[in-house]
Amino acid sequence: MGAGNLTLIWKGDSLEMIDQRKLPFTQEYVICKDANSTAQAIQDMVIRGAPAIGVAAAYGVLLAAKRYEGDSKDEFLSLVREGVYVLSKSRPTAVNLFWALDRMEKLVDENIAQSIDSIKQILEKEAKKIEQEDISINKAIGQHGREALSKLGKPKLSILTHCNAGALATAGYGTALGVIRSLHEADMIEKVLVDETRPYLQGARLTAWELYQDGIPHWVITDNMAAYFMSRGQVDAVVVGADRVAKNGDSANKIGTLGLSVLAHYYNLPFFIAAPLSTVDFSIEEGSQIPIEQRDEEEVRTVLGTRIIPGYIQVKNPSFDVTSHQNITGIITEKGTVYPPYEKNIANLG
Ligand code: MRU
């Protein structure tokens, strides 16, 4: 799962994605040929992870454009805009989705006088650019993260991570896992503690799969074991990704991240967010403004399709939580690691 990977492959007329719901047991692919099926794949978690959702959405807009075969500019534009709308409704929290849609839509507006074929070509170039940029951004995040964590002064580190912020969650290499990959390349990883990440098990199924393939030493732990290992000095730092970062540094990430940040604070451990600047929502002041996705309750009542809680029992399934900027040691971006005061220092980067 190095820089190039199978998260998504543009086939010229369709988008092929590895079905992340089936990993690591089977490698199956889902092929999307239009914006609706791409939006459905995002909603159903075939593809997930903030940057990967953004890249898939960009290709979804391109598919909306490519599906049109007539010669009416008005019809073409309304189909593309309908595609943007459907994609914007797929998932609410990861801001990269809206960032990518805005970027594609803006390009349509700027080139509205061009022929339909030219607009299709421009959109194709842009979607590919968004994908390629994401890989180089993640490499830069990896490099900056390595520098930030080197300052802890230990030759080898044990890093705890949550969910999957790896190659599968991006166009390649990963954000939080990009930092871990970069540390591993410098022989600085003692081990990675991988939170299993209920209910969807992104850690146990996806992060462990990526680390295994790269030969990076790791242990999968259940979500309630972090304090145990922290209290015994077996964690040097926590590094996670983000789905949306507010102007003041408050960061939404997979449910359970907030609890980890509180634990890290208690045990005086550094807690880093690794995310591209496309994850920063410059339109919101603080984390309370971030919309939190509430997913299907059946995800909590079942584990990999096996029912563990009867249907008549009430459950809750918030998919993300917000970590206060006060609990964050630094936010690792492609332009460097940002430290408090975030309000001022994030604005300087953006
Ligand atoms: O629900 P998911 O799997 O899309 O949630 C993903 C996360 O929370 C990731 O940590 C985040 O998107 C960063 S991915 C580089």
Side-chain angles (χ1 to χ4, degrees), residues 45 48-51 91 163-165 169 175 202 242-243 253-254 320:
M45 310 277 278
R48 29 64 50 202
R91 292 192 74 189
C163 194
N164 172 267
T175 55
Q202 289 95 329
D243 289 81
N253 191 49
K254 181 52 56 195
F320 301 94

